[in-house]
Structure formats: C-alpha cells, structure tokens
Amino acid sequence: MDVREIRQDFPILHRAVNGKPLVYLDNAATTQKPLQVIEKLADYYRRYNANIHRGIHTLAEEATAAYEAVREQTARFINAPSSRSIVFTRNATESINLFANAWGRKFLKPGDQILLSEMEHHSNLVPWQLIAKATGATLAFLPITDEGQLRLDAMEKIWAPNTKIVAITHMSNVLGTITPIEDVVVKARQYGTLVLIDGAQSVPHLPVDVQRLGCDALVFSAHKMLGPTGVGVLYARETLLESMDPFLGGGEMISDVQLTSATWNEVPWKFEAGTPNIADVIAFGAALSYLTRIGISTIRTHEMELTAYALKQLQAVPGLTIYGPRAASPDRGGAIAFNLEGLHPHDVGTGLDAEGVAIRAGHHCAKPLMRRLGVSATARASFYLYNTKDEVDRLVEAIRAVQGFFNRPTHANVST
C-alpha cells in the first residue's frame, strides 16, 4: 500500500491549520473523503438526480439502479448472504434504534434480559435503556478488565435463560479493544440469544464477515469508512427482518394502504420509509470500491504497524497515561486514549490543534466507560489508511509542546 499515493486522493489532507500542515487523527469520529467519493456525489446531482423506486423515467431508473447496486455492494463487503438483509438508515445509531424498536417492542417482555458491556458507546446503550423501559425488560452488563478487555470468565454468571439479546461493540471507540465476538456468539447459541454487533469502529478497519461471525445483526456508518455522512447500515438475517414490524411509516415501505390499515413492502424496503438519502448512498458505493481496491486486510496491517509505533512513542512521553491495551496486538485497533498529567483533555486538544494536530477530547459518548476508568474525559488519537509514522511523530512533538506551554512559570516575567 502506497500511503503517499493514497494521500493524493484526499484534498483536505493538504490544507494547513493554524499555519501548520494538518495532521488528522480523529478518524474514530469521522474519516476524510477521497476525490472518488466527492466526485460520485456531484455526479449524481449533475447527471441523474431523481427519486427512486417510484418514477418510470430514465433519470429515476438510473438513480434506482445505482442505489440498489450499492446495496448489493454493501452485502458483498461484509459477506452477507443477500442484499435483502441490508437496510440503509441515516447512521449506525439509527440502525440500533431501528432494531431495538422493531424487534424489541414485538419480542421483549417483562423480565427478559438485554445484555450489553461496560464499554458501550451511548448509541448502543441509550436505545436499549429506552426499549427496556418500554417493555419491562432489564439490562445487564458484561464487565471489562482494567485494560478494557471483555471479561469472558464473567459471561457464565451473567448470562441467563431469559437473556434475549446481547448487543455489543466489536471495537471500543475509546480503548481500541476488539471484542472476541466469536466466543460471545458461541455462548449466545447455547441460550438461543440473538447477537447484535455495533461495528461502527470495526467494519472500516478490519475484515468483517457476518456469516463467519454468525451474528444476527450488525450496524455501521458510511462516514467512518470514507463515505458521506447521513448513511448507516443495518444488516440482519433476512428471516429476522421479516419477523419484525416497521419502525417508521410512509413512502415506499407499504404494499397496500386503506384508509384505516396498511400492509408492508418486502424487506429491506419495509424499513426504508420516505425518500432515502439517495445521493450519499450512491457515493458510499465509491467509498466501498476504494476500500475494496486497496484491501481491508492491507489497511488492517498498516494500522497495526502505525498503532504499534504510536504506542511505543507515546509511552516514552513523561506524564502520559494510556487507557486500554498498551501494546499492539491482533485484538487491538487503532484508537488510543490518553491523558497528560495535570492537564484537562480539552486543553490538550486545543493545544494540539494550535500545532495543526486534530484529535478528539472529551467523554467520547461513553460516559459509563469514563466512570469505569476513573476519569471524566480523555484525549484520543485514532488512525486510518492515510496516516503515517511521520504524523505520529508530529503528534508526539505537539504533545511535548503542549506540556511545555502549560508547565511554564505563569509569572516568571512579571515585575513588581
């Protein structure tokens, strides 16, 4: 993989921030977009902008064909058995809300258990809190170790015959730890429990094969994998989707409508009410093509090398604490959370921005995990295919500059 060549496809990586070349290390929040995606988006509006699934003119048929082709492409990317198991939403959060409501309201009852983990992002926590309140189900949580690894030894005690679903992250957006999904699925099969995977941080960075994993559902977002914002994906087994009621009503999600009743379209269109985000779904196809051309395994190898280098360099910085695994390994991704002694992460983030380095600072929409770690917030650097070791060096230099700025004597030059 030629990273220098790849970087030529990303115009935003050539701009300056605060007079210095941009180093973009906030990829867990969203990734930058290559020219191929930007041009695909513009091409739709220039040549065949039309609504889909309803027009019979040429533009509508071209738009419908392009939109449905991306559904096929998405299915191939995660090795789903059929494109009918792919539902497009606005983002991964909406995908989880869709599933929690469409499945949970129909199949959960008082006393049923929803199993999560202590490291869930709010998007895979709050929807289940809401559906538990609505149905009378209860929430239970798989614990993690101090380094953020799932405690598999605790599963036996927490899992119960009334555990109806386990909804769990594949890769922590804070700690970078990768969940042993295969072990979770094996346990789930013993109890007849469904498994929903939050793949927002894994699908962009490592090979994900839903048939090999054996999961029942998987969610992820286009914008974290070179695609536009406004597109999410819900994969679920086709028979499972057929058993669920619609989440939203209106538009082409119907088969027939009477004044007082309606029947539903086939899956997956049953879950895509109203005019969907046509342009961005079509542009998402260009992002999938880009990632496929390079190879997701190649990207994973590059990120592992980058993460190993970054962990080594960061641990050499005095006063820097890393949260999560401190060594690169097959069960670790490229998000690194850290704090600097005596400095608030927001100050760290602001100081790094002054050096042209973009990271994330805050609770990362994972407040329960922050409490588990005993902090209110952290800084976070996260990598993708276009990042380099030189940029890691820029990050470390910037961190040292921030430490130097905040540690200087405040009144050293003040005379009285």
Side-chain angles (χ1 to χ4, degrees):
M1 187 173 85
D2 188 336
V3 178
R4 286 185 301 177
E5 183 179 328
I6 286 172
R7 290 176 67 87
Q8 296 306 310
D9 292 331
F10 294 81
I12 201 169
L13 298 180
H14 303 295
R15 66 163 290 183
V17 171
N18 293 318
K20 299 180 180 178
L22 170 66
V23 174
Y24 186 78
L25 301 177
D26 194 16
N27 295 289
T30 195
T31 59
Q32 300 303 339
K33 321 305 175 193
L35 286 167
Q36 291 84 343
V37 170
I38 297 169
E39 289 170 355
K40 191 73 173 181
L41 187 65
D43 181 59
Y44 163 77
Y45 284 120
R46 284 196 188 103
R47 294 197 306 113
Y48 55 103
N49 172 43
N51 215 325
I52 59 172
H53 298 147
R54 58 199 77 183
I56 58 171
H57 54 82
T58 297
L59 297 188
E61 291 184 350
E62 288 180 356
T64 299
Y67 183 93
E68 292 301 330
V70 176
R71 198 189 306 276
E72 298 275 354
Q73 198 178 359
T74 305
R76 288 195 298 274
F77 194 80
I78 58 171
N79 195 31
S82 166
S83 64
R84 291 168 63 91
S85 58
I86 301 296
V87 178
F88 287 124
T89 62
R90 290 183 302 168
N91 44 58
T93 301
E94 183 171 285
S95 295
I96 295 173
N97 275 276
L98 188 164
F99 192 91
N101 279 276
W103 175 82
R105 289 183 183 276
K106 186 170 183 179
F107 294 106
L108 287 176
K109 61 183 185 303
D112 286 344
Q113 186 181 76
I114 301 165
L115 190 54
L116 309 165
S117 84
E118 290 181 331
M119 59 182 161
E120 298 307 319
H121 187 268
H122 296 167
S123 294
N124 195 35
L125 179 59
V126 177
W128 298 109
Q129 292 175 346
L130 293 172
I131 205 66
K133 188 174 183 180
T135 62
T138 60
L139 302 175
F141 296 90
L142 293 167
I144 59 173
T145 67
D146 290 341
E147 280 211 333
Q149 306 284 6
L150 199 66
R151 280 189 52 197
L152 293 174
D153 61 317
M155 282 204 300
E156 197 65 48
K157 294 179 181 176
I158 296 173
W159 221 300
N162 65 340
T163 304
K164 298 301 181 186
I165 187 167
V166 55
I168 193 165
T169 183
H170 196 183
M171 183 190 297
S172 167
N173 69 312
V174 177
L175 306 168
T177 47
I178 297 173
T179 303
I181 291 294
E182 292 89 343
D183 294 326
V184 174
V185 170
V186 167
K187 179 62 68 177
R189 292 293 167 260
Q190 294 176 13
Y191 287 97
T193 305
L194 295 184
V195 177
L196 179 144
I197 300 173
D198 177 358
Q201 298 296 335
S202 64
V203 174
H205 301 280
L206 53 91
V208 174
D209 181 331
V210 293
Q211 295 191 71
R212 184 180 63 78
L213 290 175
C215 61
D216 299 286
L218 169 81
V219 305
F220 55 101
S221 283
H223 74 97
K224 295 181 190 292
M225 48 194 301
L226 309 184
T229 56
V231 177
V233 176
L234 166 64
Y235 155 80
R237 288 188 292 104
E238 192 174 334
T239 53
L240 185 57
L241 287 176
E242 287 172 345
S243 72
M244 293 156 48
D245 291 334
F247 175 45
L248 298 172
E252 293 295 308
M253 52 75 68
I254 57 91
S255 173
D256 186 36
V257 177
Q258 304 291 330
L259 282 176
T260 58
S261 64
T263 55
W264 317 131
N265 200 344
E266 298 177 1
V267 296
W269 304 283
K270 180 171 78 172
F271 297 103
E272 294 181 4
T275 297
N277 190 352
I278 304 165
D280 291 317
V281 166
I282 291 172
F284 177 43
L288 291 172
S289 296
Y290 195 98
L291 294 172
T292 301
R293 177 174 60 81
I294 294 172
I296 200 73
S297 295
T298 302
I299 293 169
R300 171 66 173 149
T301 299
H302 171 69
E303 290 184 17
M304 287 184 70
E305 292 175 0
L306 211 56
T307 303
Y309 182 71
L311 286 167
K312 182 180 178 181
Q313 299 304 107
L314 288 171
Q315 287 178 88
V317 177
L320 188 148
T321 299
I322 292 175
Y323 302 91
R326 292 162 180 75
S329 68
D331 57 1
R332 199 202 198 291
I336 302 176
F338 63 93
N339 272 330
L340 296 181
E341 185 178 0
L343 295 181
H344 192 282
H346 284 174
D347 291 333
V348 175
T350 302
L352 293 182
D353 182 61
E355 299 294 323
V357 179
I359 63 155
R360 185 68 171 268
H363 53 66
H364 313 298
C365 298
K367 279 194 166 186
L369 177 57
M370 292 293 112
R371 294 190 185 96
R372 171 65 179 82
L373 298 173
V375 297
S376 60
T378 76
R380 182 191 66 192
S382 51
F383 309 113
Y384 210 22
L385 73 167
Y386 39 65
N387 290 125
T388 67
K389 289 183 179 177
D390 288 344
E391 290 184 313
V392 173
D393 292 337
R394 282 276 314 279
L395 168 66
V396 174
E397 290 169 11
I399 288 172
R400 293 183 183 278
V402 170
Q403 287 178 315
F405 176 84
F406 281 101
N407 291 332
R408 67 184 181 182
T410 308
H411 303 294
N413 297 319
V414 176
S415 59
T416 58

